[in-house]
Amino acid sequence: MAVDEKLQTVRHSCAHVMAEAILKLYPGTKIAIGPAIDNGFYYDFDFPKDTKFTETDFPAVEKEMRRIIAGNHDFVRKEVSKDEALKIFADQDYKIELINDLPSDATITTYEQDGYLDLCRGPHVANTKEINGQAFKLDKIAGAYWRGDSNRPMLTRVYALCFAKPNDLKDYLTMLAEAEKRDHRKLGVEMDLFHLDPEDPGQIFWHPNGWTVYTTMQDYMRKMVRRDGYQEVNTPAIMPRTLWERSGHWGHYQQNMFITESEKRLFAIKPMNCPGALEIFKSRQRSYKDLPLRLAEFGHDVRNEPSGTLHGVMRVRGFVQDDAHILCTEEQIGPEVAKFCKLLKAVYHDFGFDDLVVKFSTMPEDHVGDLETWERAEKALSDACHEAGLDYEIQPGEGAFYGPKLEFKLYDCLGREWQCGTIQVDYQLPSSERLDATYIGSDNQKHHPVMLHRAILGSFERFLGILIENFAGAFPTWLAFEQVAVVPVSSEFDDYAKQVNETLLAADIRSNVYLEDENMKAKIKQISMEHRTPYILVVGEKEKAEGSVCVRYRFSSKKPQETMKVDDFVKYVQDKVNTHFIGI
């Protein structure tokens, strides 16, 4: 058994121990489900109406769990009939529902430890002694509708962390503490980057500081795709129901679309840009000589995400993608995917991410098109991966409803995984059954192109949230909203400070001059904490006389301050910006 599978078994077994402890401490509680998840497990409970379970109850539950674990109890598996299972769990409503939903010929198993019996497929560890009593910790409480249905009872979901060794738990808690300090929602307020309005959930109000970083990212991506042979387009924000029906989105994605009506016609605010790109392709006759046609769009999309799933700028309703659609022949899929992968790696490198994992997602249960076409698409994408020299992991059934896809996952400085870039092979949308896009081939006949959907950053909003947390707000110089702060040692040198600032601005360096009457050290502390500015230039009598600046670096403990001529400093910063240098 692989190490991760063994750990997941330990976690699931620990979930049963937690359920036993809670039932002993809170009689009359109903139990639902308790799976292992990344870094631990959870269990859903329906507590008696007179019981208010909170995080203050965690220590008592943990103490009881450790008592159970110390008893060295075996996990005993038993197969039972459906009738037996219904009798065993007669007082557990949620278990009864699960049992009744099982096929009549299903093998039903129970697991028992220390007199606690649970309905479960397993597997479990052989004995509670395989669970380290110092390597788990109850983490948090959340509400969870039974079976994810908002019309069903709201249960109390208790999350717990669980690892093989106490040091693993300690390291993870340290990482969580660091992640909390880096939380983009907290830093977004401290650095005046953006705000979220509860009256307008899932929409971001970007302030000047945050919008500067946002547009810097967008300008960078615009330059990169232009160099890579893309043409930029823009498509309408609202398009008619008839178009979404033909594309397949109305039948497969309508629950995520905002619908509006005008003049007795239904329209949808676009949740994605692909139908618009095909409409541009179809606007005139195309030839095989026009292919591949690479259409890039920074399209603003809106998706009706449940309010409970929204999370800062990471999960929103309104966002902009660095989207593009490549119309090509079947023979061009391999070279285009390889070309895209090269671009993606270059972009990620400039943002400081070089450690990538590729996931290959295959046909989902909810899909359009026949099996034969899907097999062609999956083979074409697989062949393209080999051509690009990519190793990948298979994610069965995780493709888009119209085609298989590659997902590119990056890792931040805390080792957290983020899925951002993606490329999908689509034979469906351009077909005669959908939007019927055609080109004239070398045989002078009409053919349907293949459509490659691709994004590198994904949504700008989410990627910026990742960057805020990865850099803890201390953006590399080329991204920082304030690259330089000029601070005179006293008001006597305000004019020279202004002169230096004007020189920097003329060189397209984002600079501000701070002329307030505050103490110089107080100004520098404020700039460092609120803006995390890479360079603070202190100017006084000596600097004015020499035409120089005293450069204080953001991480002064790593790089001592030094005096430089103004022109030399300008060249220094421009070099860091032009090379997208991650440090300072």
Side-chain angles (χ1 to χ4, degrees):
M1 180 181 290
V3 174
D4 60 335
E5 292 177 347
K6 181 178 180 180
L7 181 54
Q8 289 300 83
T9 300
V10 169
R11 288 168 172 163
H12 185 44
S13 302
C14 199
H16 278 227
V17 171
M18 182 177 74
E20 176 189 347
I22 284 179
L23 283 181
K24 285 185 176 180
L25 295 172
Y26 305 94
T29 298
K30 306 291 185 183
I31 54 177
I33 58 172
I37 56 175
D38 288 347
N39 305 309
F41 58 86
Y42 70 78
Y43 213 115
D44 290 343
F45 300 97
D46 190 352
F47 287 94
K49 290 184 178 179
D50 59 349
T51 299
K52 184 171 178 58
F53 186 83
T54 68
E55 293 183 7
T56 60
D57 298 303
F58 283 0
V61 176
E62 290 174 347
K63 181 179 179 181
E64 179 62 19
M65 290 174 68
R66 292 189 177 98
R67 186 196 67 77
I68 295 167
I69 290 169
N72 294 343
H73 302 289
D74 291 335
F75 280 85
V76 181
R77 179 182 184 274
K78 183 180 179 182
E79 292 188 10
V80 297
S81 68
K82 195 168 186 176
D83 288 342
E84 287 178 295
L86 290 171
K87 290 179 182 177
I88 291 170
F89 297 99
D91 62 342
Q92 289 290 343
D93 302 343
Y94 303 103
K95 298 294 184 183
I96 292 294
E97 183 176 329
L98 293 173
I99 294 166
N100 283 326
D101 286 349
L102 293 172
S104 57
D105 59 347
T107 299
I108 300 176
T109 58
T110 63
Y111 279 83
E112 182 178 1
Q113 88 278 349
D114 188 31
Y116 169 77
L117 193 65
D118 204 341
L119 179 74
C120 187
R121 289 180 299 181
H124 287 280
V125 297
N127 187 284
T128 56
K129 65 183 178 184
E130 296 182 49
I131 304 170
N132 191 311
Q134 302 304 314
F136 74 84
K137 177 181 175 61
L138 271 60
D139 183 36
K140 60 185 177 182
I141 292 175
Y145 289 112
W146 171 233
R147 294 190 145 179
D149 185 345
S150 60
N151 296 314
R152 307 297 300 276
M154 172 70 79
L155 305 180
T156 300
R157 177 166 292 178
V158 182
Y159 286 94
L161 305 172
C162 183
F163 293 87
K165 300 175 183 177
N167 281 345
D168 295 339
L169 174 62
K170 182 181 177 181
D171 290 345
Y172 185 74
L173 291 173
T174 300
M175 187 277 289
L176 286 182
E178 182 63 27
E180 185 176 352
K181 289 191 293 185
R182 294 167 175 263
D183 191 315
H184 73 279
R185 295 166 298 180
K186 173 174 170 284
L187 293 177
V189 173
E190 290 179 3
M191 299 177 69
D192 196 22
L193 301 175
F194 60 83
H195 82 269
L196 307 166
D197 186 342
E199 293 296 315
D200 193 9
Q203 306 288 342
I204 313 302
F205 291 80
W206 291 104
H207 298 189
N209 292 346
W211 192 242
T212 297
V213 183
Y214 191 107
T215 55
T216 299
M217 288 169 51
Q218 193 171 61
D219 290 344
Y220 165 82
M221 288 306 304
R222 178 170 280 118
K223 177 187 69 177
M224 293 297 282
V225 299
R226 185 170 59 243
R227 289 178 177 177
D228 212 46
Y230 290 81
Q231 301 174 63
E232 187 176 340
V233 299
N234 190 264
T235 59
I238 299 176
M239 291 187 278
R241 169 180 176 170
T242 50
L243 178 64
W244 297 112
E245 285 178 331
R246 296 201 311 275
S247 71
H249 290 90
W250 196 266
H252 295 266
Y253 205 76
Q254 186 182 346
Q255 72 276 11
N256 294 105
M257 299 166 74
F258 284 98
I259 311 298
T260 186
E261 183 177 353
S262 175
E263 297 178 344
K264 299 182 179 180
R265 294 178 65 202
L266 288 180
F267 295 80
I269 304 174
K270 66 176 179 179
M272 52 194 64
N273 308 303
C274 28
L278 267 183
E279 290 299 291
I280 290 176
F281 181 86
K282 291 166 53 183
S283 65
R284 66 182 182 84
Q285 183 65 64
R286 304 285 179 176
S287 162
Y288 71 96
K289 295 178 182 179
D290 298 323
L291 306 183
L293 180 64
R294 307 180 189 98
L295 301 177
E297 179 175 11
F298 299 112
H300 190 280
D301 299 326
V302 181
R303 296 178 183 175
N304 191 11
E305 303 283 0
S307 59
T309 67
L310 302 176
H311 178 71
V313 303
M314 300 286 203
R315 185 77 180 266
V316 295
R317 287 178 172 170
F319 59 95
V320 173
Q321 297 186 83
D322 66 317
D323 210 0
H325 297 89
I326 303 168
L327 286 304
C328 63
T329 66
E330 195 164 19
E331 294 74 24
Q332 292 169 335
I333 293 175
E336 285 302 307
V337 171
K339 182 178 177 66
F340 164 74
C341 292
K342 183 178 179 181
L343 174 63
L344 176 139
K345 289 178 180 178
V347 168
Y348 282 5
H349 173 76
D350 283 348
F351 285 102
F353 302 112
D354 292 308
D355 188 12
L356 305 178
V357 169
V358 184
K359 303 290 181 76
F360 189 122
S361 300
T362 59
M363 184 179 74
E365 186 175 336
D366 179 22
H367 65 273
V368 296
D370 56 59
L371 181 60
E372 181 182 352
T373 304
W374 268 88
E375 288 175 346
R376 283 171 57 206
E378 289 180 2
K379 183 179 186 306
L381 188 55
S382 176
D383 290 345
C385 287
H386 294 307
E387 184 170 339
L390 290 179
D391 294 324
Y392 57 79
E393 301 172 18
I394 293 288
Q395 293 189 134
E398 294 295 318
F401 72 84
Y402 48 77
K405 65 180 176 178
L406 298 181
E407 295 179 356
F408 296 83
K409 298 178 186 269
L410 54 83
Y411 293 87
D412 67 12
C413 65
L414 298 182
R416 297 176 298 180
E417 181 182 271
W418 302 95
Q419 191 271 305
C420 296
T422 181
I423 187 165
Q424 302 150 1
V425 177
D426 182 5
Y427 284 77
Q428 309 297 335
L429 209 58
S431 69
S432 56
E433 291 80 13
R434 293 294 166 191
L435 295 185
D436 197 20
T438 62
Y439 67 92
I440 303 300
S442 58
D443 58 1
N444 211 33
Q445 300 297 312
K446 285 187 176 182
H447 300 271
H448 296 290
V450 178
M451 189 176 202
L452 305 181
H453 309 244
R454 87 3 138 243
I456 297 176
L457 305 185
S459 87
F460 281 105
E461 286 72 11
R462 182 168 178 269
F463 198 80
L464 182 46
I466 294 170
L467 292 177
I468 292 170
E469 297 194 358
N470 184 63
F471 295 115
F475 297 109
T477 302
W478 74 274
L479 270 176
F481 59 84
E482 181 179 82
Q483 295 167 325
V484 181
V486 185
V487 180
V489 297
S490 70
S491 58
E492 182 181 349
F493 304 102
D494 282 358
D495 287 343
Y496 181 62
K498 291 178 185 178
Q499 179 184 328
V500 171
N501 188 58
E502 289 169 2
T503 299
L504 295 170
L505 292 173
D508 288 328
I509 294 172
R510 294 188 287 276
S511 175
N512 284 305
V513 60
Y514 291 81
L515 305 176
E516 295 84 355
D517 292 332
E518 295 177 77
N519 176 277
M520 182 189 74
K521 289 184 178 179
K523 289 182 196 177
I524 291 173
K525 183 178 180 181
Q526 180 184 8
I527 295 165
S528 300
M529 292 181 62
E530 293 182 5
H531 290 179
R532 291 160 172 78
T533 306
Y535 312 103
I536 298 177
L537 306 185
V538 179
V539 295
E541 184 175 357
K542 176 185 176 184
E543 288 75 26
K544 180 179 179 180
E546 297 177 349
S548 64
V549 291
C550 180
V551 185
R552 295 173 61 105
Y553 297 91
R554 180 166 54 202
F555 302 114
S556 56
S557 60
K558 297 180 181 179
K559 191 175 177 72
Q561 66 185 40
E562 60 182 312
T563 299
M564 299 173 65
K565 294 290 187 181
V566 174
D567 289 346
D568 291 339
F569 177 73
V570 167
K571 292 176 183 177
Y572 177 86
V573 175
Q574 287 176 334
D575 178 66
K576 301 303 178 187
V577 171
N578 293 336
T579 59
H580 303 103
F581 187 63
I582 294 301
I584 59 171

